[in-house]
Amino acid sequence: MYIAKVVGNVVATKKNDTLMGSKLMIVQPVNSALKKEGPEEVAADFVGAGIGEYVLVGSGSSVRVEEERRRATIDLAIIGIIDDVVV
Amino acid sequence: MYIAKVVGNVVATKKNDTLMGSKLMIVQPVNSALKKEGPEEVAADFVGAGIGEYVLVGSGSSVRVEEERRRATIDLAIIGIIDDVVV
Amino acid sequence: MYIAKVVGNVVATKKNDTLMGSKLMIVQPVNSALKKEGPEEVAADFVGAGIGEYVLVGSGSSVRVEEERRRATIDLAIIGIIDDVVV
Amino acid sequence: MYIAKVVGNVVATKKNDTLMGSKLMIVQPVNSALKKEGPEEVAADFVGAGIGEYVLVGSGSSVRVEEERRRATIDLAIIGIIDDVVV
Amino acid sequence: MYIAKVVGNVVATKKNDTLMGSKLMIVQPVNSALKKEGPEEVAADFVGAGIGEYVLVGSGSSVRVEEERRRATIDLAIIGIIDDVVV
């Protein structure tokens, strides 16, 4: 998992059926000082995050552990909205 | 998942049986400004993408969640065609 | 697995249900000389680690092998507290 | 998946039982211009590739989807021999 | 998989139960010329490797394919001792 800032979203009309209904956000990984760190990625939004918010991003098969997501072609997801980073 | 530009394809006559029928495209990851970011990779095309198009690329076991792909030796796939990047 | 220093934690009130109860720590990977190496990540704490401690971090589906964690949206975890690094 | 050049092989007499019979090749990832890109890795050869050939390399659990490989300790494999790269 | 040199080990008294009995070695990835390449990692030793030896390291779920390791919190392991690198 990593901290990221939501910086935008992608629109894709033609896509894998299992992605229908998923909002696809562009996330910029950041460090604990909220400075950019590494390349942007695209994550499905599980928690209703908005542009500009800092979020927790999870990856791999962990984002498909819930029964309703077993058959989703998703390898990256916003799994939390970060209220505070304590360092 | 990440945004990429389709830049070509590979031809491989001798390959793993489970890859037969998959079109193998070369994808160049890009950021939300559509600038190159990191090395090219090879992805199976699930959505009928063309050279020059911007696409959504998924990785890992997520691209094998659908029943007909359970037994495919595929770890990277084009899972959407991007109409718009909103930042 | 890698060695990391626990440098902080994140607070996320709104998060995936399966994350409830997990303490989310910020870990800074280090090498065997305990020098910083690569970007910070966020790991669930399985062993009761404190800020400033050196820990062992595991990733991927390995951190969900235990029955009670099968359904947790966790891809990174603190799985040990390091007493000594011998080189 | 990525394009790579086969540059050598490793000999390991003492190894995990499940690796017995696998030929372990050293592969150098390359881009579509066949220029080196990133560090060498070691891949099991599924297709009979020779030194100097350009190949398609697959990673992760995708290389264990076939029944006879379910129990092999393999995370990287040569899954195709590349005849042509079209860009 | 990649080639690595065993450079040390970590001592962790407090750790995940499923790690008990695993010897945790520090491995430095190297290329085929045996030059350092990338950051050190920590791998469970499956083959009885010693400090200073060159080994084959496997990653991800591949290191848990054997029945007795299904429930081990291990994502990286030494799976072979390298006798020779042929390039």
Side-chain angles (χ1 to χ4, degrees):
Chain A
M1 295 171 283
Y2 59 82
I3 306 170
K5 185 177 186 178
V6 182
V7 296
N9 67 282
V10 300
V11 180
T13 313
K14 191 168 182 180
K15 61 187 166 194
N16 206 278
D17 286 350
T18 68
L19 279 175
M20 297 298 162
S22 289
K23 190 152 188 199
L24 300 169
M25 312 304 284
I26 302 171
V27 293
Q28 168 62 61
V30 299
N31 62 16
S32 60
L34 307 183
K35 291 272 163 61
K36 285 188 189 187
E37 181 96 61
E40 294 168 339
E41 298 195 89
V42 177
D45 182 9
F46 287 1
V47 293
I51 306 283
E53 281 189 297
Y54 289 95
V55 294
L56 183 66
V57 174
S59 68
S61 53
S62 78
V63 302
R64 299 189 306 277
V65 293
E66 293 171 285
E67 203 52 44
E68 71 273 23
R69 291 189 177 115
R70 292 247 148 226
R71 291 282 183 276
T73 310
I74 294 173
D75 63 4
L76 201 75
I78 298 173
I79 58 176
I81 294 177
I82 292 179
D83 304 311
D84 205 3
V85 173
V86 183
V87 284
Chain B
M1 295 170 283
Y2 61 80
I3 306 171
K5 184 177 186 179
V6 182
V7 296
N9 67 280
V10 300
V11 179
T13 311
K14 191 169 182 180
K15 61 187 166 195
N16 206 279
D17 287 349
T18 70
L19 279 175
M20 297 299 162
S22 290
K23 191 151 188 200
L24 300 168
M25 311 304 285
I26 301 171
V27 293
Q28 168 62 60
V30 298
N31 62 16
S32 60
L34 307 183
K35 290 272 163 62
K36 285 187 189 188
E37 182 95 61
E40 294 169 339
E41 297 196 90
V42 176
D45 182 9
F46 288 1
V47 293
I51 306 284
E53 282 189 298
Y54 290 96
V55 294
L56 183 67
V57 174
S59 69
S61 52
S62 78
V63 302
R64 298 190 307 277
V65 292
E66 293 171 284
E67 203 51 46
E68 72 273 23
R69 292 192 177 110
R70 292 247 148 226
R71 292 282 184 276
T73 310
I74 294 173
D75 63 4
L76 201 76
I78 298 173
I79 59 175
I81 293 177
I82 292 179
D83 304 311
D84 206 3
V85 173
V86 183
V87 284
Chain C
M1 295 171 282
Y2 60 80
I3 305 170
K5 185 177 185 177
V6 182
V7 296
N9 66 282
V10 301
V11 180
T13 312
K14 191 169 181 180
K15 60 187 166 193
N16 206 278
D17 287 350
T18 68
L19 278 175
M20 298 298 162
S22 290
K23 190 151 189 201
L24 301 168
M25 311 304 284
I26 301 171
V27 293
Q28 167 63 59
V30 299
N31 63 16
S32 60
L34 307 182
K35 290 271 162 61
K36 285 187 189 188
E37 181 97 59
E40 293 169 340
E41 298 196 88
V42 177
D45 183 9
F46 288 1
V47 292
I51 306 283
E53 281 189 299
Y54 290 95
V55 294
L56 183 67
V57 174
S59 68
S61 52
S62 78
V63 302
R64 299 189 307 277
V65 293
E66 293 171 285
E67 204 50 45
E68 71 272 24
R69 291 189 178 115
R70 292 246 148 227
R71 290 283 183 275
T73 309
I74 295 173
D75 64 3
L76 201 75
I78 297 174
I79 58 176
I81 294 177
I82 292 180
D83 305 311
D84 205 3
V85 173
V86 182
V87 284
Chain D
M1 295 170 283
Y2 60 80
I3 306 171
K5 185 177 185 178
V6 181
V7 297
N9 66 282
V10 301
V11 180
T13 311
K14 191 170 181 180
K15 61 187 166 193
N16 207 279
D17 287 349
T18 70
L19 277 175
M20 297 298 163
S22 289
K23 190 152 188 199
L24 300 169
M25 312 303 285
I26 301 170
V27 293
Q28 168 62 60
V30 298
N31 63 16
S32 59
L34 308 183
K35 291 271 163 63
K36 286 187 189 188
E37 182 95 62
E40 294 169 338
E41 297 196 90
V42 177
D45 182 8
F46 288 1
V47 292
I51 306 284
E53 281 188 298
Y54 290 95
V55 294
L56 184 66
V57 174
S59 68
S61 52
S62 77
V63 302
R64 299 189 307 277
V65 292
E66 293 171 285
E67 203 51 45
E68 71 271 25
R69 291 189 177 114
R70 292 247 148 226
R71 291 283 183 275
T73 310
I74 294 174
D75 63 5
L76 200 76
I78 298 174
I79 59 176
I81 294 177
I82 292 179
D83 304 311
D84 205 4
V85 173
V86 183
V87 284
Chain E
M1 294 171 282
Y2 60 79
I3 306 170
K5 185 177 185 178
V6 182
V7 296
N9 65 283
V10 301
V11 180
T13 312
K14 192 170 180 179
K15 61 187 165 193
N16 207 278
D17 287 349
T18 70
L19 278 176
M20 297 299 163
S22 289
K23 190 152 188 199
L24 300 168
M25 311 304 284
I26 302 170
V27 293
Q28 167 64 58
V30 298
N31 62 16
S32 60
L34 307 183
K35 291 271 163 61
K36 285 188 188 188
E37 182 96 61
E40 293 170 338
E41 298 196 88
V42 176
D45 183 9
F46 288 0
V47 292
I51 305 283
E53 281 189 297
Y54 290 96
V55 294
L56 183 67
V57 174
S59 68
S61 52
S62 78
V63 302
R64 298 189 308 277
V65 293
E66 294 171 284
E67 203 50 45
E68 72 272 24
R69 292 190 177 111
R70 292 246 149 227
R71 290 283 182 275
T73 309
I74 295 173
D75 64 3
L76 201 77
I78 298 173
I79 58 176
I81 294 178
I82 292 180
D83 304 310
D84 204 4
V85 173
V86 183
V87 285

